[in-house]
Amino acid sequence: MAELSAPRGTWDALRRGWAALPVSVRVLIVYVLARVVTTLFFVTADAASGPSSRFGVNPGLAGLATGWDGQWYWYTAVNGYPAELPLTDDGLVAENQWAFMPVYPYLSSAVGLAFGSWPAGAVAVSLAAGYLACLVLYRMLRLRGDDAMAMWAVVFFAAGPLAALFQVAYAESLFLLFLFLALWLVMRRRFGWLYLLVPAMGFTRPGVLAFSLFLALYGIARWFARRRDPLPIREVVHIVALGLIAAFVGFSWQVIAGIVTGDPTAYLATELAWRRNWLPGWSGAFVPFDGFVLGADFWFSTWGLPGWLGIVALVILVAAIAALLLFEPHVKRLGVELRLWAASYVVYLLAVFFPQSSIFRLLVPLSPLWGAVAMPRSPWWRFGVLAVGLLGQWWWIFNMYGLGNTFWQIP
């Protein structure tokens, strides 16, 4: 009997020891272990990279970490933003730095001074911001569930399919940190720090307009619930003011680009330069919600299916997402704030994005929904989700960084 009970006793002791650790330490352990796994995946991608890859033969971890948009952030940090927009041979605006917000590249430059290089500073910013984002995610979800749910959500987030973003020169980690802090503060109804977080978010990467929509919907929801959940005047003022500030910040980069270049369409024309890579010969202007319609037709035609079928699939997808946010029990338990954020961000993506391989990366701001995935207590479910997440992460890194040689292998 003693032999049979010893392993269980050891396991119980380990669980008690784990629970006794400060949350910051437990999250750090999870995060470091996840980063070790991600690094191993990058090592395999480095070995797989060959002459046909964008990165060439054995580019090394540093080469992979600064690939793709990382090159643009680096170029922006060194050269700033052009006063004269570059043009293609057809006279259209070419890809340029105005598509990339300034906070991440310049912060990485400042941090990089301590390391002697911009890439080291950029990866350090991503790593640190990723850990802090995990910590805030735990605190946020702890308001809606128990310790196990919140910690498993952190595990899924830190080791999920897009976890490579925590250790490459992309602005996502920093944006997620600002976003999670902002959502956590709204959930706690502490609005003061949002006056700093909203501009920081808005000048880190696109997406703050979704936060403006979120605040508008949140204010409406609070108004209709005011009889059972009092809505003080001071909170009304904060919600309205912050929503307007978020909208102002969201449009201000377009204004700044227009003033510097003398072209009021500079920012949108720059963003559309990337869309033309997918639609050769297309020279249309930006129209809200047009990107997903074009994308549905493009992808279904590429797959040899009727374009109209893509529109039908898009409508079904939107209806399914709406049903998930409205009726799925685990999602409902996350609370009105996180559900409204998810809805707002999905609407934002539908309005501005052309769906292509980067869609996986652009879905990362929906990561608070990991809380709903982590709610079922079955260990089979939780370890199964973790396994699928790690498999997805390997697939993403291997294709986007190890191969990276065709149109759908762009992170």
Side-chain angles (χ1 to χ4, degrees):
M1 291 296 292
E3 292 181 359
L4 292 175
S5 61
R8 181 173 181 178
T10 303
W11 176 248
D12 288 342
L14 289 173
R15 290 179 63 182
R16 288 193 299 270
W18 174 257
L21 292 173
V23 169
S24 59
V25 175
R26 286 191 282 149
V27 170
L28 180 61
I29 292 171
V30 167
Y31 188 70
V32 169
L33 290 175
R35 300 286 63 76
V36 170
V37 173
T38 299
T39 301
L40 293 176
F41 288 158
F42 269 118
V43 169
T44 64
D46 176 57
S49 185
S52 63
S53 167
R54 177 187 179 94
F55 293 93
V57 178
N58 299 126
L61 296 182
L64 295 176
T66 54
W68 298 109
D69 285 0
Q71 290 290 305
W72 277 109
Y73 283 115
W74 192 354
Y75 188 79
T76 301
V78 173
N79 298 286
Y81 295 91
E84 183 175 343
L85 292 172
L87 301 177
T88 67
D89 293 339
D90 297 325
L92 300 172
V93 174
E95 300 167 347
N96 65 85
Q97 302 96 291
W98 283 110
F100 302 91
M101 306 302 179
V103 170
Y104 179 75
Y106 291 133
L107 177 61
S108 298
S109 289
V111 175
L113 292 175
F115 298 97
S117 75
W118 185 89
V123 173
V125 169
S126 292
L127 282 169
Y131 164 68
L132 293 174
C134 287
L135 189 57
V136 178
L137 180 65
Y138 173 91
R139 297 295 186 189
M140 184 196 316
L141 294 177
R142 193 66 179 84
L143 298 174
R144 298 291 185 260
D146 61 16
D147 173 80
M149 180 276 277
M151 189 57 67
W152 272 102
V154 169
V155 171
F156 298 154
F157 176 58
L162 275 294
L165 293 172
F166 296 130
Q167 51 197 89
V168 295
Y170 271 62
E172 267 71 9
S173 285
L174 190 60
F175 179 82
L176 289 173
L177 172 59
F178 294 147
L179 171 65
F180 291 177
L181 281 169
L183 291 172
W184 183 44
L185 289 170
V186 172
M187 293 169 72
R188 299 174 67 204
R189 301 180 183 179
R190 297 185 178 181
F191 298 96
W193 284 103
L194 288 172
Y195 290 94
L196 296 178
L197 283 170
V198 166
M201 199 187 329
F203 289 109
T204 298
R205 70 176 308 281
V208 75
L209 287 176
F211 198 78
S212 178
L213 175 59
F214 157 69
L215 288 172
L217 297 177
Y218 172 72
I220 293 171
R222 288 287 307 279
W223 175 261
F224 281 107
R226 67 189 184 280
R227 290 185 178 178
R228 57 181 172 79
D229 183 10
L231 179 61
I233 292 297
R234 69 178 183 279
E235 292 191 11
V236 174
V237 173
H238 281 310
I239 293 169
V240 173
L242 287 165
L244 292 174
I245 290 171
F248 174 81
V249 171
F251 288 109
S252 64
W253 191 243
Q254 299 180 38
V255 176
I256 293 170
I259 292 173
V260 173
T261 63
D263 182 353
T265 68
Y267 174 72
L268 290 178
T270 297
E271 290 287 2
L272 292 178
W274 269 268
R275 185 179 296 187
R276 287 196 300 272
N277 291 332
W278 297 85
L279 301 172
W282 179 82
S283 59
F286 172 76
V287 177
F289 300 100
D290 184 49
F292 260 84
V293 175
L294 290 171
D297 179 74
F298 167 82
W299 284 106
F300 274 71
S301 298
T302 300
W303 298 330
L305 299 170
W308 62 265
L309 191 59
I311 308 300
V312 173
L314 178 61
V315 172
I316 293 173
L317 176 63
V318 172
I321 293 172
L324 176 73
L325 296 177
L326 286 171
F327 305 116
E328 206 286 322
H330 300 95
V331 176
K332 289 175 69 174
R333 285 172 57 188
L334 293 177
V336 66
E337 297 90 351
L338 298 185
R339 293 161 67 202
L340 288 177
W341 161 250
S344 300
Y345 188 71
V346 169
V347 170
Y348 168 77
L349 284 184
L350 290 171
V352 305
F353 188 61
F354 174 85
Q356 29 89 356
S357 56
S358 295
I359 189 68
F360 301 111
R361 173 171 57 88
L362 293 187
L363 291 175
V364 172
L366 296 175
S367 292
L369 295 179
W370 280 123
V373 179
M375 282 183 190
R377 295 177 178 273
S378 166
W380 291 104
W381 168 261
R382 286 171 169 169
F383 282 106
V385 171
L386 175 59
V388 171
L390 290 172
L391 181 63
Q393 184 184 163
W394 172 84
W395 179 90
W396 195 77
I397 292 174
F398 183 78
N399 278 282
M400 306 300 175
Y401 288 90
L403 302 182
N405 56 5
T406 190
F407 71 99
W408 60 268
Q409 293 169 330
I410 300 173

